[in-house]
């Protein structure tokens, strides 16, 4: 991470704490990078995505339980 990016991340965090809307950031809080570099990595949260994630977690837990002899 460059010094410029680190400084702007801190600035954006402070501005957001002061009332800046998250969509107005020039950096990405989640990915700690410039917003334009990760814009395509953010997908909207939908019921289908939540269900798919819950099913995947259940699948992983079932698989881990089967491997442990449970």
């Amino acid at each position: 991470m460059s010094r410029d990016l680190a400084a702007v991340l801190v600035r954006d965090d402070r501005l957001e704490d002061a009332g800046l809307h998250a969509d107005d950031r020039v950096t990405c809080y989640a990915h700690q990078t410039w917003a334009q570099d990760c814009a395509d990595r953010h997908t909207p949260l939908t019921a289908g995505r939540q269900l798919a994630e819950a099913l995947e977690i259940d699948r992983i837990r079932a698989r881990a339980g089967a491997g442990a002899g449970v």
Side-chain angles (χ1 to χ4, degrees), residues 6-69:
V8 177
L9 279 163
V10 170
R11 188 200 70 190
D12 277 358
D13 289 344
R14 289 180 180 158
L15 287 172
E16 193 172 354
D17 289 343
L20 175 77
H21 192 277
D23 289 342
D24 294 331
R25 292 179 65 108
V26 295
T27 59
C28 176
Y29 177 80
H31 299 112
Q32 300 290 294
T33 188
W34 298 105
Q36 72 266 14
D37 292 343
C38 69
D40 61 334
R41 292 168 53 185
H42 295 272
T43 54
L45 185 60
T46 62
R49 279 191 49 222
Q50 284 185 306
L51 177 59
E53 185 175 323
L55 290 172
E56 178 66 7
I57 291 169
D58 288 346
R59 185 189 68 78
I60 292 168
R61 286 181 180 154
R63 203 167 168 196

